[in-house]
Amino acid sequence: QLYAVERARADGDVGESVPGALYRALSAGPAALGHVAGYAFRVDSLAGDADSVVIQLTSDDWFDVVGVHPVAGTVWPSAAAGDAPPFGAVISDRLWHRRFGAAHDAIGRSLSIGVRALTVTGILPPGFSGISLEYPVDVWVPLGLEPQFDGTSHLDDGGLNWIKVVTRVRGTDRVEAAGSAGSVLL
């Protein structure tokens, strides 16, 4: 039921990522795609830690679409239209153990990534490190925080392919319409 949405390019290649503007259009429409969610990766460091972490910038509905939820705490609250995204972070069980010693008071504590301080809002189930085999994720943050990490926003950029898109398609007709091999081509 979970499909990657890929973009067919003019040269015949298939791209795994889409521009922010296209992601926004997909998340607002067509119902045949089902419920779509977007995400992107970055690598950064935690303050006071020599090891780098994989961070996933994630749309508010990504956890619902993927079907995984925190075992402790919650996903950050959705930002109202026009509001700044919340500075919340959902962390992996692995990072919870490594960074916080599996302390029960980790929810609400600060986690500094680069120069940005985030509040831990949730801890994901043991063994879950995202849906990408290439990038085991340690920290999930709202996609709207992308300008805080990159210094500028690419969410409205129509040319930079940087957001991966997934959709949960239910029902036999929709699955056949979505395509085979676990991906939907645009």
Side-chain angles (χ1 to χ4, degrees), residues 16-154:
E16 294 180 359
S17 301
V18 302
L22 179 55
Y23 161 69
R24 285 184 180 216
L26 290 172
S27 64
L33 273 181
H35 195 108
V36 298
Y39 63 103
F41 298 108
R42 66 176 298 110
V43 177
D44 214 324
S45 60
L46 297 176
D49 197 335
D51 294 333
S52 59
V53 292
V54 175
I55 300 160
Q56 183 175 306
L57 299 155
T58 303
S59 63
D60 291 345
D61 52 0
W62 186 87
F63 294 98
D64 289 332
V65 171
V66 171
V68 65
H69 300 283
V71 294
T74 186
V75 174
W76 54 84
S78 296
D83 288 349
F87 290 103
V90 175
I91 62 174
S92 67
D93 179 78
R94 177 182 63 231
L95 185 63
W96 176 50
H97 280 83
R98 188 178 99 207
R99 185 69 177 195
F100 297 104
H104 294 289
D105 67 346
I107 304 296
R109 288 176 61 183
S110 182
L111 182 69
S112 293
I113 300 172
V115 297
R116 174 60 51 207
L118 302 168
T119 301
V120 175
T121 62
I123 301 164
L124 292 178
F128 183 78
S129 59
I131 60 173
S132 171
L133 297 176
E134 296 174 72
Y135 303 104
V137 179
D138 300 297
V139 181
W140 289 259
V141 300
L143 188 60
L145 289 182
E146 179 254 346
Q148 300 295 324
F149 291 101
D150 294 336
T152 186
S153 178
H154 300 290

